[in-house]
Amino acid sequence: MDMGYHNMRVILTVFITSLLSILVIYTSWAHSKETTIGIGELSPKIDKKIEQSLEKLKVVQGVSVAIYTANGMHVKGYGITDKDTQEIVTLETPFYIASSTKSMFALAMAILHERGDIDLDQSLSQFSPTAPFSKKINTDKITLRHLLAMSSGIKNSAYVHRVAFSGEYDQEILWQLIGATQVNRSRNIRFGKFRYTNWNYNLLARLVEQKLGKSWQEILSQEVFQKIDFAHTTAYISEAKQQGWSQARAHITLGPDAPKRSYLEKDDARMHSAGGVIMSANDAAKWLEVFIQNGQLNGRQIFPVEAVQATRKRWTQVDSEFSGYVREHYGLGWYIGPYGDDLLVHHFGGFSGARAHISYMPERKIGVAIFVNDSAVGGLYIDHIANFIYDSFTGMLNAEERFDKAIDDVDIWANDLSAKIAMLRDEINARQWSLSQPLNHYVGLYKNKSFGTIKISIEESRLRITNGNLTAIAQAGSKAETLRAELIPLEGEAVEFKISRDGRVESLKYKEVRFIKE
């Protein structure tokens, strides 16, 4: 990793840590259950606060909000879907919800379990005896439920990278990549211990696909989406395009040139079972109702009560915090923990240019879903909106003033960090190139059996680096024979070349993975 990117990460870590400490304080005040506010009274306040805060945080482009209560709903879109087209966010605008997809896939698996189509308590060896796991993996011990509950103790970064980022695969490649699965060696994240990773859900999807002869998208559509009658929710980006949906587009909100559209957006190949759904606010309200009402929608039981309740059972101990939210346990696709005096079930999602917050309080029968087409400023912002909604419902004193203070802090954080990113970019642009060979010597295809290919090409006298759907113009590296590649916006990584004694470029290393030049 080059020093410029290291410095940027340090800055991001410091600022986010300080901001999260504010969020922890913000969410820790005691709630009074005696002064609950009704949805009719709350809706105008929500509108006012979101509109005011969007005006203050000008870089945040679009927000979609769904609130479900037993006595009514509030569903609304704010801002725009696309900085370039200025299309307005509506109730039907689908946003990419990233890892919030996990609660959907987990519910589908719980439904199949209740019906007897699969057995979540079967071991991997029982459920899929032909899967090409290495002998190092104890497939007799790990069950399907361990995968859903994030306690399998195994990992596979190559598989995750292909399905979430590069999109460089077919189903046979993915099946064979199961053989690259490794045991987690850390004492804290071995079998039975919590470790959050997309791999658990990616693996289960591939095994179930092989067993049932259906794609995970088909299963999700048949078992969940069609039964709820979602109108603008899908696991296929191509469907949204074919139907002409006005989808929220990814944006970058940090840096001197923010806000701007991001090149990095999802397509069908990079939609996966751990993060592969786009969803509208109207559909999100239905999604909240299903969990709050234990599988009922509009008074009709559409999912087994046992399946819904199984998803929020405390399967794996977590004991952590994220964005100020206490996470004591992980269920099946949901985190579980206290919010003040209440129980909060939640799962968020984030990807470059997108962030989702989905949560609910089962005892109070209140749920909140908020989506934004940005993962930086907007990613922090929407948690504050959710906090304000819950704090208002549960009667927290001065909830509005505390929300205003939180937005002021986000604004200061964003402005300071954008200024520091500008300085780091100037530092990177001032670097001298450290490559010893002519540019055309670096051009070619570099391969790694597990991670796929990286292509180096020349574009207007500069090197372009491409890994499947990821691509970027290279910048000068901080060390000899290195480049800096920002394949993911704001996440630059070093690309280090190995040169033979006779001056041939033999290989490159990216994220500690070696790719051999053909």
PDB file of all heavy atoms in Angstrom, residues 163-192:
ATOM      1  N   VAL A 163     -17.245 -12.041  -7.177  1.00  0.00           N
ATOM      2  CA  VAL A 163     -18.691 -11.830  -7.296  1.00  0.00           C
ATOM      3  C   VAL A 163     -19.113 -10.418  -6.889  1.00  0.00           C
ATOM      4  O   VAL A 163     -20.165  -9.932  -7.330  1.00  0.00           O
ATOM      5  CB  VAL A 163     -19.490 -12.865  -6.467  1.00  0.00           C
ATOM      6  CG1 VAL A 163     -19.220 -14.267  -6.969  1.00  0.00           C
ATOM      7  CG2 VAL A 163     -19.203 -12.752  -4.977  1.00  0.00           C
ATOM      8  N   ALA A 164     -18.310  -9.728  -6.078  1.00  0.00           N
ATOM      9  CA  ALA A 164     -18.696  -8.396  -5.616  1.00  0.00           C
ATOM     10  C   ALA A 164     -18.023  -7.279  -6.393  1.00  0.00           C
ATOM     11  O   ALA A 164     -18.593  -6.189  -6.528  1.00  0.00           O
ATOM     12  CB  ALA A 164     -18.374  -8.234  -4.129  1.00  0.00           C
ATOM     13  N   PHE A 165     -16.825  -7.527  -6.921  1.00  0.00           N
ATOM     14  CA  PHE A 165     -16.054  -6.442  -7.512  1.00  0.00           C
ATOM     15  C   PHE A 165     -15.690  -6.654  -8.987  1.00  0.00           C
ATOM     16  O   PHE A 165     -16.088  -5.877  -9.841  1.00  0.00           O
ATOM     17  CB  PHE A 165     -14.782  -6.193  -6.695  1.00  0.00           C
ATOM     18  CG  PHE A 165     -15.054  -5.621  -5.343  1.00  0.00           C
ATOM     19  CD1 PHE A 165     -15.076  -6.439  -4.225  1.00  0.00           C
ATOM     20  CD2 PHE A 165     -15.307  -4.275  -5.176  1.00  0.00           C
ATOM     21  CE1 PHE A 165     -15.341  -5.918  -2.962  1.00  0.00           C
ATOM     22  CE2 PHE A 165     -15.572  -3.740  -3.932  1.00  0.00           C
ATOM     23  CZ  PHE A 165     -15.590  -4.565  -2.816  1.00  0.00           C
ATOM     24  N   SER A 166     -14.962  -7.702  -9.289  1.00  0.00           N
ATOM     25  CA  SER A 166     -14.475  -7.835 -10.668  1.00  0.00           C
ATOM     26  C   SER A 166     -15.541  -8.375 -11.619  1.00  0.00           C
ATOM     27  O   SER A 166     -15.548  -8.038 -12.806  1.00  0.00           O
ATOM     28  CB  SER A 166     -13.237  -8.738 -10.716  1.00  0.00           C
ATOM     29  OG  SER A 166     -13.589 -10.094 -10.518  1.00  0.00           O
ATOM     30  N   GLY A 167     -16.440  -9.235 -11.129  1.00  0.00           N
ATOM     31  CA  GLY A 167     -17.439  -9.847 -12.002  1.00  0.00           C
ATOM     32  C   GLY A 167     -16.840 -10.809 -13.003  1.00  0.00           C
ATOM     33  O   GLY A 167     -17.473 -11.166 -14.001  1.00  0.00           O
ATOM     34  N   GLU A 168     -15.643 -11.283 -12.730  1.00  0.00           N
ATOM     35  CA  GLU A 168     -14.897 -12.130 -13.669  1.00  0.00           C
ATOM     36  C   GLU A 168     -15.074 -13.609 -13.272  1.00  0.00           C
ATOM     37  O   GLU A 168     -14.261 -14.175 -12.549  1.00  0.00           O
ATOM     38  CB  GLU A 168     -13.419 -11.733 -13.628  1.00  0.00           C
ATOM     39  CG  GLU A 168     -12.572 -12.326 -14.729  1.00  0.00           C
ATOM     40  CD  GLU A 168     -11.124 -11.896 -14.626  1.00  0.00           C
ATOM     41  OE1 GLU A 168     -10.666 -11.546 -13.522  1.00  0.00           O
ATOM     42  OE2 GLU A 168     -10.434 -11.933 -15.655  1.00  0.00           O
ATOM     43  N   TYR A 169     -16.150 -14.212 -13.756  1.00  0.00           N
ATOM     44  CA  TYR A 169     -16.433 -15.592 -13.373  1.00  0.00           C
ATOM     45  C   TYR A 169     -17.568 -16.154 -14.217  1.00  0.00           C
ATOM     46  O   TYR A 169     -18.286 -15.440 -14.917  1.00  0.00           O
ATOM     47  CB  TYR A 169     -16.823 -15.673 -11.895  1.00  0.00           C
ATOM     48  CG  TYR A 169     -18.142 -14.990 -11.580  1.00  0.00           C
ATOM     49  CD1 TYR A 169     -19.357 -15.667 -11.691  1.00  0.00           C
ATOM     50  CD2 TYR A 169     -18.182 -13.657 -11.171  1.00  0.00           C
ATOM     51  CE1 TYR A 169     -20.570 -15.047 -11.417  1.00  0.00           C
ATOM     52  CE2 TYR A 169     -19.387 -13.021 -10.892  1.00  0.00           C
ATOM     53  CZ  TYR A 169     -20.571 -13.718 -11.019  1.00  0.00           C
ATOM     54  OH  TYR A 169     -21.761 -13.103 -10.754  1.00  0.00           O
ATOM     55  N   ASP A 170     -17.726 -17.473 -14.137  1.00  0.00           N
ATOM     56  CA  ASP A 170     -18.955 -18.150 -14.524  1.00  0.00           C
ATOM     57  C   ASP A 170     -19.260 -19.141 -13.406  1.00  0.00           C
ATOM     58  O   ASP A 170     -18.505 -19.248 -12.437  1.00  0.00           O
ATOM     59  CB  ASP A 170     -18.836 -18.833 -15.895  1.00  0.00           C
ATOM     60  CG  ASP A 170     -17.709 -19.858 -15.962  1.00  0.00           C
ATOM     61  OD1 ASP A 170     -17.381 -20.472 -14.917  1.00  0.00           O
ATOM     62  OD2 ASP A 170     -17.145 -20.044 -17.047  1.00  0.00           O
ATOM     63  N   GLN A 171     -20.367 -19.864 -13.520  1.00  0.00           N
ATOM     64  CA  GLN A 171     -20.776 -20.726 -12.414  1.00  0.00           C
ATOM     65  C   GLN A 171     -19.793 -21.870 -12.151  1.00  0.00           C
ATOM     66  O   GLN A 171     -19.595 -22.282 -11.010  1.00  0.00           O
ATOM     67  CB  GLN A 171     -22.184 -21.278 -12.673  1.00  0.00           C
ATOM     68  CG  GLN A 171     -23.270 -20.226 -12.633  1.00  0.00           C
ATOM     69  CD  GLN A 171     -23.268 -19.438 -11.332  1.00  0.00           C
ATOM     70  OE1 GLN A 171     -23.337 -19.996 -10.244  1.00  0.00           O
ATOM     71  NE2 GLN A 171     -23.190 -18.120 -11.437  1.00  0.00           N
ATOM     72  N   GLU A 172     -19.154 -22.370 -13.198  1.00  0.00           N
ATOM     73  CA  GLU A 172     -18.175 -23.444 -13.020  1.00  0.00           C
ATOM     74  C   GLU A 172     -16.937 -22.922 -12.291  1.00  0.00           C
ATOM     75  O   GLU A 172     -16.381 -23.600 -11.415  1.00  0.00           O
ATOM     76  CB  GLU A 172     -17.784 -24.050 -14.365  1.00  0.00           C
ATOM     77  CG  GLU A 172     -16.768 -25.186 -14.272  1.00  0.00           C
ATOM     78  CD  GLU A 172     -17.233 -26.334 -13.383  1.00  0.00           C
ATOM     79  OE1 GLU A 172     -18.455 -26.571 -13.263  1.00  0.00           O
ATOM     80  OE2 GLU A 172     -16.357 -27.020 -12.796  1.00  0.00           O
ATOM     81  N   ILE A 173     -16.498 -21.706 -12.653  1.00  0.00           N
ATOM     82  CA  ILE A 173     -15.360 -21.099 -11.959  1.00  0.00           C
ATOM     83  C   ILE A 173     -15.670 -20.958 -10.470  1.00  0.00           C
ATOM     84  O   ILE A 173     -14.848 -21.279  -9.607  1.00  0.00           O
ATOM     85  CB  ILE A 173     -15.006 -19.731 -12.577  1.00  0.00           C
ATOM     86  CG1 ILE A 173     -14.335 -19.925 -13.934  1.00  0.00           C
ATOM     87  CG2 ILE A 173     -14.099 -18.917 -11.646  1.00  0.00           C
ATOM     88  CD1 ILE A 173     -14.057 -18.637 -14.673  1.00  0.00           C
ATOM     89  N   LEU A 174     -16.880 -20.500 -10.158  1.00  0.00           N
ATOM     90  CA  LEU A 174     -17.249 -20.327  -8.760  1.00  0.00           C
ATOM     91  C   LEU A 174     -17.276 -21.661  -8.024  1.00  0.00           C
ATOM     92  O   LEU A 174     -16.852 -21.754  -6.865  1.00  0.00           O
ATOM     93  CB  LEU A 174     -18.618 -19.643  -8.651  1.00  0.00           C
ATOM     94  CG  LEU A 174     -18.703 -18.199  -9.150  1.00  0.00           C
ATOM     95  CD1 LEU A 174     -20.087 -17.631  -8.891  1.00  0.00           C
ATOM     96  CD2 LEU A 174     -17.646 -17.316  -8.499  1.00  0.00           C
ATOM     97  N   TRP A 175     -17.777 -22.696  -8.686  1.00  0.00           N
ATOM     98  CA  TRP A 175     -17.817 -24.014  -8.054  1.00  0.00           C
ATOM     99  C   TRP A 175     -16.408 -24.498  -7.726  1.00  0.00           C
ATOM    100  O   TRP A 175     -16.143 -24.978  -6.616  1.00  0.00           O
ATOM    101  CB  TRP A 175     -18.540 -25.005  -8.959  1.00  0.00           C
ATOM    102  CG  TRP A 175     -18.732 -26.367  -8.354  1.00  0.00           C
ATOM    103  CD1 TRP A 175     -18.076 -27.514  -8.690  1.00  0.00           C
ATOM    104  CD2 TRP A 175     -19.634 -26.707  -7.303  1.00  0.00           C
ATOM    105  NE1 TRP A 175     -18.515 -28.554  -7.920  1.00  0.00           N
ATOM    106  CE2 TRP A 175     -19.476 -28.091  -7.050  1.00  0.00           C
ATOM    107  CE3 TRP A 175     -20.554 -25.991  -6.547  1.00  0.00           C
ATOM    108  CZ2 TRP A 175     -20.206 -28.765  -6.077  1.00  0.00           C
ATOM    109  CZ3 TRP A 175     -21.289 -26.654  -5.576  1.00  0.00           C
ATOM    110  CH2 TRP A 175     -21.107 -28.030  -5.354  1.00  0.00           C
ATOM    111  N   GLN A 176     -15.498 -24.346  -8.678  1.00  0.00           N
ATOM    112  CA  GLN A 176     -14.120 -24.769  -8.442  1.00  0.00           C
ATOM    113  C   GLN A 176     -13.416 -23.893  -7.408  1.00  0.00           C
ATOM    114  O   GLN A 176     -12.537 -24.366  -6.676  1.00  0.00           O
ATOM    115  CB  GLN A 176     -13.335 -24.771  -9.758  1.00  0.00           C
ATOM    116  CG  GLN A 176     -13.834 -25.784 -10.776  1.00  0.00           C
ATOM    117  CD  GLN A 176     -13.874 -27.206 -10.220  1.00  0.00           C
ATOM    118  OE1 GLN A 176     -12.975 -27.634  -9.479  1.00  0.00           O
ATOM    119  NE2 GLN A 176     -14.942 -27.944 -10.555  1.00  0.00           N
ATOM    120  N   LEU A 177     -13.809 -22.618  -7.330  1.00  0.00           N
ATOM    121  CA  LEU A 177     -13.200 -21.704  -6.359  1.00  0.00           C
ATOM    122  C   LEU A 177     -13.526 -22.082  -4.915  1.00  0.00           C
ATOM    123  O   LEU A 177     -12.850 -21.621  -3.987  1.00  0.00           O
ATOM    124  CB  LEU A 177     -13.655 -20.270  -6.614  1.00  0.00           C
ATOM    125  CG  LEU A 177     -12.722 -19.386  -7.450  1.00  0.00           C
ATOM    126  CD1 LEU A 177     -13.330 -18.010  -7.636  1.00  0.00           C
ATOM    127  CD2 LEU A 177     -11.346 -19.280  -6.805  1.00  0.00           C
ATOM    128  N   ILE A 178     -14.527 -22.907  -4.723  1.00  0.00           N
ATOM    129  CA  ILE A 178     -14.818 -23.389  -3.372  1.00  0.00           C
ATOM    130  C   ILE A 178     -13.578 -24.083  -2.806  1.00  0.00           C
ATOM    131  O   ILE A 178     -13.332 -24.069  -1.596  1.00  0.00           O
ATOM    132  CB  ILE A 178     -16.035 -24.333  -3.383  1.00  0.00           C
ATOM    133  CG1 ILE A 178     -17.308 -23.546  -3.716  1.00  0.00           C
ATOM    134  CG2 ILE A 178     -16.194 -25.059  -2.048  1.00  0.00           C
ATOM    135  CD1 ILE A 178     -18.536 -24.405  -3.906  1.00  0.00           C
ATOM    136  N   GLY A 179     -12.791 -24.660  -3.690  1.00  0.00           N
ATOM    137  CA  GLY A 179     -11.552 -25.322  -3.269  1.00  0.00           C
ATOM    138  C   GLY A 179     -10.521 -24.379  -2.682  1.00  0.00           C
ATOM    139  O   GLY A 179      -9.572 -24.824  -2.026  1.00  0.00           O
ATOM    140  N   ALA A 180     -10.678 -23.065  -2.890  1.00  0.00           N
ATOM    141  CA  ALA A 180      -9.748 -22.082  -2.326  1.00  0.00           C
ATOM    142  C   ALA A 180     -10.144 -21.643  -0.917  1.00  0.00           C
ATOM    143  O   ALA A 180      -9.504 -20.776  -0.322  1.00  0.00           O
ATOM    144  CB  ALA A 180      -9.669 -20.855  -3.235  1.00  0.00           C
ATOM    145  N   THR A 181     -11.199 -22.242  -0.371  1.00  0.00           N
ATOM    146  CA  THR A 181     -11.655 -21.900   0.976  1.00  0.00           C
ATOM    147  C   THR A 181     -10.574 -22.229   2.001  1.00  0.00           C
ATOM    148  O   THR A 181      -9.929 -23.281   1.935  1.00  0.00           O
ATOM    149  CB  THR A 181     -12.937 -22.682   1.316  1.00  0.00           C
ATOM    150  OG1 THR A 181     -13.919 -22.435   0.314  1.00  0.00           O
ATOM    151  CG2 THR A 181     -13.484 -22.268   2.674  1.00  0.00           C
ATOM    152  N   GLN A 182     -10.402 -21.309   2.950  1.00  0.00           N
ATOM    153  CA  GLN A 182      -9.380 -21.475   3.986  1.00  0.00           C
ATOM    154  C   GLN A 182      -9.996 -21.395   5.374  1.00  0.00           C
ATOM    155  O   GLN A 182     -11.072 -20.830   5.563  1.00  0.00           O
ATOM    156  CB  GLN A 182      -8.303 -20.392   3.854  1.00  0.00           C
ATOM    157  CG  GLN A 182      -7.552 -20.420   2.542  1.00  0.00           C
ATOM    158  CD  GLN A 182      -6.588 -19.266   2.429  1.00  0.00           C
ATOM    159  OE1 GLN A 182      -6.853 -18.160   2.884  1.00  0.00           O
ATOM    160  NE2 GLN A 182      -5.434 -19.515   1.818  1.00  0.00           N
ATOM    161  N   VAL A 183      -9.293 -21.969   6.332  1.00  0.00           N
ATOM    162  CA  VAL A 183      -9.693 -21.876   7.735  1.00  0.00           C
ATOM    163  C   VAL A 183      -9.158 -20.570   8.315  1.00  0.00           C
ATOM    164  O   VAL A 183      -8.003 -20.203   8.074  1.00  0.00           O
ATOM    165  CB  VAL A 183      -9.146 -23.068   8.545  1.00  0.00           C
ATOM    166  CG1 VAL A 183      -9.486 -22.926  10.025  1.00  0.00           C
ATOM    167  CG2 VAL A 183      -9.688 -24.375   7.988  1.00  0.00           C
ATOM    168  N   ASN A 184      -9.995 -19.866   9.058  1.00  0.00           N
ATOM    169  CA  ASN A 184      -9.505 -18.687   9.764  1.00  0.00           C
ATOM    170  C   ASN A 184      -8.586 -19.137  10.892  1.00  0.00           C
ATOM    171  O   ASN A 184      -8.976 -19.957  11.727  1.00  0.00           O
ATOM    172  CB  ASN A 184     -10.672 -17.880  10.356  1.00  0.00           C
ATOM    173  CG  ASN A 184     -11.353 -17.025   9.315  1.00  0.00           C
ATOM    174  OD1 ASN A 184     -10.703 -16.356   8.532  1.00  0.00           O
ATOM    175  ND2 ASN A 184     -12.676 -17.063   9.297  1.00  0.00           N
ATOM    176  N   ARG A 185      -7.373 -18.597  10.926  1.00  0.00           N
ATOM    177  CA  ARG A 185      -6.391 -19.019  11.917  1.00  0.00           C
ATOM    178  C   ARG A 185      -6.442 -18.205  13.192  1.00  0.00           C
ATOM    179  O   ARG A 185      -5.918 -18.614  14.224  1.00  0.00           O
ATOM    180  CB  ARG A 185      -4.984 -18.931  11.314  1.00  0.00           C
ATOM    181  CG  ARG A 185      -4.766 -19.875  10.131  1.00  0.00           C
ATOM    182  CD  ARG A 185      -4.956 -21.330  10.544  1.00  0.00           C
ATOM    183  NE  ARG A 185      -4.776 -22.253   9.429  1.00  0.00           N
ATOM    184  CZ  ARG A 185      -5.008 -23.553   9.506  1.00  0.00           C
ATOM    185  NH1 ARG A 185      -5.446 -24.088  10.643  1.00  0.00           N
ATOM    186  NH2 ARG A 185      -4.817 -24.323   8.459  1.00  0.00           N
ATOM    187  N   SER A 186      -7.054 -17.022  13.129  1.00  0.00           N
ATOM    188  CA  SER A 186      -7.144 -16.191  14.317  1.00  0.00           C
ATOM    189  C   SER A 186      -7.994 -16.860  15.379  1.00  0.00           C
ATOM    190  O   SER A 186      -9.077 -17.387  15.097  1.00  0.00           O
ATOM    191  CB  SER A 186      -7.747 -14.825  13.978  1.00  0.00           C
ATOM    192  OG  SER A 186      -8.031 -14.094  15.145  1.00  0.00           O
ATOM    193  N   ARG A 187      -7.536 -16.864  16.613  1.00  0.00           N
ATOM    194  CA  ARG A 187      -8.250 -17.519  17.710  1.00  0.00           C
ATOM    195  C   ARG A 187      -9.630 -16.918  17.902  1.00  0.00           C
ATOM    196  O   ARG A 187     -10.571 -17.608  18.287  1.00  0.00           O
ATOM    197  CB  ARG A 187      -7.430 -17.380  19.000  1.00  0.00           C
ATOM    198  CG  ARG A 187      -8.074 -18.038  20.215  1.00  0.00           C
ATOM    199  CD  ARG A 187      -7.145 -17.947  21.423  1.00  0.00           C
ATOM    200  NE  ARG A 187      -6.850 -16.571  21.743  1.00  0.00           N
ATOM    201  CZ  ARG A 187      -7.621 -15.797  22.514  1.00  0.00           C
ATOM    202  NH1 ARG A 187      -8.747 -16.290  23.013  1.00  0.00           N
ATOM    203  NH2 ARG A 187      -7.282 -14.550  22.787  1.00  0.00           N
ATOM    204  N   ASN A 188      -9.760 -15.617  17.613  1.00  0.00           N
ATOM    205  CA  ASN A 188     -11.024 -14.921  17.877  1.00  0.00           C
ATOM    206  C   ASN A 188     -12.094 -15.162  16.821  1.00  0.00           C
ATOM    207  O   ASN A 188     -13.259 -14.828  17.039  1.00  0.00           O
ATOM    208  CB  ASN A 188     -10.782 -13.421  18.014  1.00  0.00           C
ATOM    209  CG  ASN A 188      -9.945 -13.088  19.229  1.00  0.00           C
ATOM    210  OD1 ASN A 188     -10.031 -13.768  20.252  1.00  0.00           O
ATOM    211  ND2 ASN A 188      -9.113 -12.059  19.120  1.00  0.00           N
ATOM    212  N   ILE A 189     -11.717 -15.697  15.663  1.00  0.00           N
ATOM    213  CA  ILE A 189     -12.706 -15.854  14.600  1.00  0.00           C
ATOM    214  C   ILE A 189     -12.734 -17.275  14.029  1.00  0.00           C
ATOM    215  O   ILE A 189     -13.123 -17.493  12.902  1.00  0.00           O
ATOM    216  CB  ILE A 189     -12.462 -14.838  13.460  1.00  0.00           C
ATOM    217  CG1 ILE A 189     -11.031 -14.933  12.927  1.00  0.00           C
ATOM    218  CG2 ILE A 189     -12.769 -13.437  13.914  1.00  0.00           C
ATOM    219  CD1 ILE A 189     -10.770 -14.019  11.746  1.00  0.00           C
ATOM    220  N   ARG A 190     -12.325 -18.231  14.816  1.00  0.00           N
ATOM    221  CA  ARG A 190     -12.415 -19.621  14.390  1.00  0.00           C
ATOM    222  C   ARG A 190     -13.854 -20.118  14.460  1.00  0.00           C
ATOM    223  O   ARG A 190     -14.762 -19.383  14.818  1.00  0.00           O
ATOM    224  CB  ARG A 190     -11.489 -20.488  15.249  1.00  0.00           C
ATOM    225  CG  ARG A 190     -10.006 -20.246  14.947  1.00  0.00           C
ATOM    226  CD  ARG A 190      -9.128 -21.168  15.755  1.00  0.00           C
ATOM    227  NE  ARG A 190      -7.715 -20.958  15.437  1.00  0.00           N
ATOM    228  CZ  ARG A 190      -6.712 -21.578  16.044  1.00  0.00           C
ATOM    229  NH1 ARG A 190      -6.977 -22.474  17.008  1.00  0.00           N
ATOM    230  NH2 ARG A 190      -5.464 -21.341  15.703  1.00  0.00           N
ATOM    231  N   PHE A 191     -14.035 -21.382  14.138  1.00  0.00           N
ATOM    232  CA  PHE A 191     -15.367 -21.985  14.115  1.00  0.00           C
ATOM    233  C   PHE A 191     -16.129 -21.674  15.402  1.00  0.00           C
ATOM    234  O   PHE A 191     -15.612 -21.810  16.506  1.00  0.00           O
ATOM    235  CB  PHE A 191     -15.249 -23.503  13.933  1.00  0.00           C
ATOM    236  CG  PHE A 191     -16.557 -24.220  14.050  1.00  0.00           C
ATOM    237  CD1 PHE A 191     -17.469 -24.187  13.008  1.00  0.00           C
ATOM    238  CD2 PHE A 191     -16.892 -24.901  15.217  1.00  0.00           C
ATOM    239  CE1 PHE A 191     -18.692 -24.843  13.115  1.00  0.00           C
ATOM    240  CE2 PHE A 191     -18.102 -25.559  15.339  1.00  0.00           C
ATOM    241  CZ  PHE A 191     -19.006 -25.522  14.281  1.00  0.00           C
ATOM    242  N   GLY A 192     -17.384 -21.266  15.230  1.00  0.00           N
ATOM    243  CA  GLY A 192     -18.229 -20.950  16.370  1.00  0.00           C
ATOM    244  C   GLY A 192     -18.153 -19.512  16.821  1.00  0.00           C
ATOM    245  O   GLY A 192     -19.001 -19.050  17.587  1.00  0.00           O
TER     246      GLY A 192
END
